[in-house]
Amino acid sequence: MLLNANIALSSSKALLVPYSSWHVPQYHEWMKDPDIQEATASEPLSIEEEYSMQRSWRQDADKLTFIVCRAISTGSEGDIPSQSQLLGESDSPASMVGDINLFLRIDDGDEGNSPPQIVGEIELMVAEKVNQRRGFGRAALLMFMRYIIQNQGAILDEFVGGGDVDVETVRKLKTGVETAGSSEGLSLECFSVKIGQANLRSLALFESTGFVRCSDEPNFFGEFELRCTDLSLGSIDGALDKAGVKGFIALPYGRTE
């Protein structure tokens, strides 16, 4: 997605930056790990294929992604980052810890005969074990959700205008908005995440941030789908505060491809 090409998200707990070509070598190294491949249901790619995937995530209208990095350090414990502190090394390989992605899709029921709804599926990875259990995943998830909720109008405009959603579906989506009496445009129905049944830590993380399992049993692939339907700014701001994520701001990201 082009919307976030020049935006970074900063807080006291993490820094999120657009996935750019200079992040690919480190990301490629992560994805060589069999444990990461299993956790993300991914196949190993060549470095050339990884660059191609990076361009896809940066340009495709149904995808939004950030690289998760360590928070900007101010040198004083408890200080909150400011705009002037985003430097070139803020998202260097040594600062990268993972990634977080949104994949937008149209959900019209198992039989395809329900009114279409827009669902945002989230994928989150904290790559190396040394960076796990340190709060990066929770901070990144809440920051990401905050950004999407605040900017969902522009995000969904790019999604439906990108050419992959057929005209009739767009018409039905907009008809549903008009029927509901909304004047604020299209909206997400919910956030969704799919997690392997053995990944207890991820299940606990998402359940503690408002996601609810759609069924008591995993699907054919051994995954649970969880959904979050409370997309209010008040709810997410409360979760950020509870998690100790302070100073959330959007910063200009001036580096170019």
Side-chain angles (χ1 to χ4, degrees):
M1 188 165 279
L2 299 175
L3 179 69
N4 71 320
N6 302 111
I7 294 293
L9 306 179
S10 179
S11 79
S12 60
K13 297 287 188 179
L15 172 69
L16 277 58
V17 300
Y19 185 24
S20 305
S21 58
W22 44 87
H23 300 130
V24 171
Q26 178 61 61
Y27 190 87
H28 183 59
E29 287 302 311
W30 287 340
M31 299 310 294
K32 292 179 181 178
D33 186 331
D35 291 338
I36 294 178
Q37 292 171 19
E38 180 179 0
T40 59
S42 302
E43 296 291 333
L45 301 177
S46 68
I47 188 68
E48 292 79 12
E49 291 171 325
E50 210 73 81
Y51 276 110
S52 178
M53 287 293 292
Q54 180 271 325
R55 290 190 294 271
S56 172
W57 277 102
R58 190 65 173 262
Q59 298 169 6
D60 291 358
D62 61 349
K63 302 179 181 72
L64 175 68
T65 189
F66 285 96
I67 291 293
V68 182
C69 302
R70 291 180 175 82
I72 300 169
S73 174
T74 61
S76 299
E77 186 175 354
D79 282 355
I80 296 175
S82 68
Q83 292 192 15
S84 63
Q85 294 163 327
L86 185 58
L87 305 174
E89 60 268 24
S90 297
D91 63 335
S92 66
S95 296
M96 293 168 58
V97 299
D99 71 331
I100 189 163
N101 311 309
L102 176 76
F103 180 76
L104 294 167
R105 69 173 192 265
I106 303 296
D107 190 343
D108 53 4
D110 293 338
E111 304 298 327
N113 54 6
S114 299
Q117 300 172 334
I118 304 175
V119 174
E121 184 170 339
I122 292 176
E123 297 175 338
L124 170 64
M125 176 184 73
V126 176
E128 297 170 316
K129 289 182 173 61
V130 67
N131 291 319
Q132 295 171 2
R133 298 176 181 260
R134 296 181 59 185
F136 291 121
R138 183 178 299 274
L141 174 61
L142 294 173
M143 292 166 65
F144 192 55
M145 291 168 64
R146 180 62 165 81
Y147 175 78
I148 295 165
I149 292 168
Q150 185 174 2
N151 296 280
Q152 66 175 309
I155 289 170
L156 298 183
D157 281 346
E158 184 170 342
F159 172 52
V160 300
D164 290 333
V165 183
D166 65 84
V167 174
E168 179 62 16
T169 298
V170 174
R171 185 193 67 78
K172 289 180 179 178
L173 288 166
K174 292 185 175 180
T175 299
V177 169
E178 293 167 0
T179 301
S182 171
S183 60
E184 298 180 357
L186 301 172
S187 61
L188 280 171
E189 178 67 19
C190 64
F191 289 121
S192 168
V193 64
K194 295 176 182 176
I195 302 173
Q197 59 184 323
N199 195 341
L200 301 182
R201 281 190 296 165
S202 288
L203 288 168
L205 169 62
F206 279 90
E207 288 180 321
S208 70
T209 51
F211 285 74
V212 177
R213 300 187 195 199
C214 297
S215 63
D216 294 331
E217 299 295 331
N219 62 18
F220 176 80
F221 301 102
E223 297 173 324
F224 286 105
E225 181 180 5
L226 295 82
R227 290 191 171 193
C228 176
T229 57
D230 184 356
L231 306 187
S232 65
L233 285 175
S235 175
I236 194 68
D237 284 343
L240 284 163
D241 185 63
K242 183 178 179 181
V245 181
K246 303 183 183 301
F248 175 82
I249 49 175
L251 306 179
Y253 186 78
R255 298 181 71 181
T256 57
E257 290 291 339

